Amino acid sequence: MTTLFRGSREQIMSTTRRRFLRNASITAAAAVAAPSIFIPSAREAWGATLDTGKPIKVGVLFSLTGGLAVPEEDSALVMQYAIDEINAAGGINGSPIEPIIIDAMSDMNVYAQRMRELIMRDKVISVFGCYTSASRKAVLPTVMSQNNLLFYPTCYEGAECTQNTVCTGPLANQHSKDLIPYMVENFGKRVFFVGSNYVWPKESNKNARIWLEQAGGELLGEEYIPLGSSEFGPVLNKIRAAKPDFIFSTVVGSSDIAFHRQFRQAGLSADSMPIASLTTGEIETRAMGNEYGAGHFLSAPYFQALDNPTNQRFVENFLSSKYGKNGTTHYNMEETYTSAYVFKAALERAIAQHGMEEVTPRLIRDAAAGVRLEADISPEGPTWIDEQNFNTWLVPKIGQCQSDGSFKIVKQASEHVAPEPFSIYPDAGICTAEGLQLPNGSVRTNVI
């Protein structure tokens, strides 16, 4: 496998927090505000062809440095592991996958710039990457304008309907919809929300407020911390004064680690005031220290402790490989891993339908509709891509962190839950393969 790497930890100077925040807000706002995007034909946009036996170039766009590197570096590593696995088994139609690995440096402008380079210069047929909604919204205008394809392998807030993405992580209705009532039932009705200051936490909390109200809970306070910040003193003072029964957290990256450490250092305890998170998994717990994570909760479709043969094989083989240097697996890693196999299945289907030289990124997206990963491939068990909105049917789970950093599953959905991008916006329309179908019957494409 040929791997091209642009920007190592030693070569790239860390981005200052002020620049990070300025770029995040400017780029994400510009992406959301874009009034219309010209969509060329798939062949015109991509301008390349696949040839049997020649490498299939894909982009791998994650942050290997900066405040988002804690979860994203491991996603880049597991993507390389999955590609090695696929190539060792013969590749796709006799062709190996060639990843072009980019460090986005936790900088929203870098995400946008590198996405343009991957698509327009390197002619990749798809890109795997991004962890935050701010970075996803920074790259989507380019992905859509060039009719390329983004595999987005993590949780997000929904309220989006694009024709150039495939998402393998949970939506809000597969995430906090079970977590909020579970916490209310087991710990009490009084809740305090804390999140990083960007679109995903704020939109996730809109969902959480509705489910909290339905569960009979009470929201005592809601605070947002700048993305990348490590100062939680004022927020913890407000939490101590409010005395909630539990905290609902959408804090991400290095900030998440700082929050848990300062929570305990402030004399607060998981025994009396647990944190219920959508992001604090095995990677974050390992980085902060097991003692800071113990007793807290996470909602996710995957945990390293899942007891099935495929997951046991995945964990053992990955951790013993050259990519398993950080010593754990994680929900975001598993969702990245499965995205590689969704890509493989969709590309094989597109080749069978159209011939290898005629395949485009958009045809891969279309072929991904209904792709199912069985239990022998997916470490979390069977999953499949929704035929209309191209998100994933998943089994939500809730885990409690143990003293050794592992998670004990305390609740699991009895069946797969359908992804609902507009679950709290029923009047917005229905996300279909062609676009957002409005109540009046008209269709809007690429709604972000």
Side-chain angles (χ1 to χ4, degrees):
M1 178 181 70
T2 302
T3 300
L4 306 179
F5 185 88
R6 300 195 182 101
S8 67
R9 293 184 185 275
E10 294 77 17
Q11 293 169 329
I12 301 173
M13 297 180 64
S14 62
T15 306
T16 66
R17 189 177 81 175
R18 180 177 299 175
R19 180 183 172 209
F20 176 91
L21 298 173
R22 184 187 70 242
N23 291 344
S25 60
I26 291 173
T27 308
V32 174
S36 62
I37 299 171
F38 168 70
I39 306 296
S41 70
R43 176 64 64 203
E44 179 184 26
W46 189 38
T49 59
L50 297 180
D51 296 305
T52 301
K54 293 186 178 179
I56 299 167
K57 293 198 294 183
V58 300
V60 179
L61 182 61
F62 290 106
S63 289
L64 310 181
T65 55
L68 296 174
V70 172
E72 292 198 34
E73 181 197 27
D74 286 277
S75 292
L77 290 168
V78 81
M79 188 65 202
Q80 294 172 75
Y81 171 80
I83 289 173
D84 279 2
E85 217 175 44
I86 292 170
N87 287 344
I92 299 175
N93 200 46
S95 293
I97 303 173
E98 178 185 302
I100 300 176
I101 302 163
I102 303 295
D103 180 4
M105 301 166 59
S106 301
D107 184 319
M108 302 305 119
N109 279 340
V110 175
Y111 281 102
Q113 177 186 345
R114 297 308 187 205
M115 180 62 80
R116 287 192 294 270
E117 293 174 356
L118 284 167
I119 292 174
M120 302 175 75
R121 182 187 65 195
D122 298 317
K123 300 296 182 182
V124 298
I125 197 166
S126 295
V127 179
F128 301 80
C130 301
Y131 174 71
T132 66
S133 289
S135 58
R136 187 186 72 257
K137 288 183 181 293
V139 305
L140 275 179
T142 297
V143 176
M144 294 186 297
S145 69
Q146 298 302 309
N147 221 345
N148 211 278
L149 180 59
L150 171 66
F151 281 85
Y152 184 65
T154 193
C155 59
Y156 79 112
E157 68 281 359
E160 195 170 280
C161 184
T162 82
Q163 285 62 69
N164 299 85
T165 55
V166 175
C167 302
T168 51
L171 287 163
N173 76 293
Q174 302 166 308
H175 220 194
S176 53
K177 190 173 184 178
D178 286 346
L179 181 60
I180 292 292
Y182 174 86
M183 297 300 293
V184 169
E185 179 181 351
N186 288 276
F187 297 97
K189 298 179 178 181
R190 294 161 52 85
V191 190
F192 201 104
F193 287 0
V194 182
S196 295
N197 192 12
Y198 71 103
V199 62
W200 175 71
K202 291 184 176 181
E203 190 66 27
S204 294
N205 284 345
K206 287 182 182 179
N207 288 265
R209 282 196 295 272
I210 290 173
W211 297 321
L212 178 62
E213 182 179 353
Q214 292 175 353
E218 177 186 1
L219 181 59
L220 303 180
E222 186 170 351
E223 292 289 326
Y224 294 94
I225 304 300
L227 194 59
S229 174
S230 60
E231 178 49 62
F232 286 90
V235 172
L236 289 169
N237 288 336
K238 292 181 181 179
I239 290 172
R240 185 184 289 105
K243 299 180 180 178
D245 296 314
F246 70 94
I247 298 166
F248 179 66
S249 173
T250 48
V251 179
V252 304
S254 59
S255 299
D256 190 21
I257 294 165
F259 177 49
H260 278 75
R261 285 177 172 171
Q262 291 173 39
F263 174 89
R264 188 174 184 205
Q265 291 164 357
L268 302 175
S269 169
D271 293 334
S272 58
M273 192 189 299
I275 300 170
S277 174
L278 302 181
T279 58
T280 312
E282 292 89 346
I283 289 175
E284 291 82 4
T285 301
R286 185 179 179 89
M288 71 178 68
N290 296 341
E291 66 272 24
Y292 296 102
H296 297 299
F297 292 84
L298 170 70
S299 175
Y302 172 83
F303 293 91
Q304 181 173 299
L306 285 180
D307 187 13
N308 67 68
T310 300
N311 184 52
Q312 292 170 0
R313 183 175 65 249
F314 168 65
V315 172
E316 180 180 346
N317 290 347
F318 174 75
L319 294 183
S320 63
S321 75
K322 62 182 179 181
Y323 303 112
K325 63 178 185 176
N326 292 329
T328 190
T329 60
H330 181 265
Y331 66 89
N332 201 66
M333 296 169 64
E334 192 265 353
E335 291 154 11
T336 303
Y337 177 80
T338 58
S339 73
Y341 280 92
V342 171
F343 169 79
K344 176 180 183 292
L347 179 51
E348 288 172 342
R349 182 183 289 180
I351 291 170
Q353 292 172 344
H354 304 281
M356 192 156 187
E357 292 185 356
E358 295 301 316
V359 169
T360 64
R362 181 57 182 268
L363 289 177
I364 297 174
R365 178 265 187 182
D366 294 345
V371 162
R372 182 182 176 98
L373 300 184
E374 299 293 353
D376 62 335
I377 293 177
S378 172
E380 67 184 85
T383 65
W384 60 92
I385 303 299
D386 189 88
E387 293 184 352
Q388 291 297 321
N389 61 47
F390 291 85
N391 291 277
T392 304
W393 288 64
L394 302 166
V395 177
K397 305 171 184 71
I398 298 171
Q400 184 178 29
C401 187
Q402 306 299 294
S403 59
D404 62 355
S406 67
F407 281 77
K408 177 184 177 181
I409 296 174
V410 296
K411 184 175 181 179
Q412 177 171 317
S414 59
E415 59 185 5
H416 285 78
V417 175
E420 299 176 5
F422 292 87
S423 61
I424 66 168
Y425 302 107
D427 296 332
I430 300 173
C431 185
T432 72
E434 289 72 36
L436 183 64
Q437 184 175 332
L438 304 178
N440 64 9
S442 63
V443 176
R444 291 178 58 201
T445 59
N446 286 324
V447 176
I448 59 172

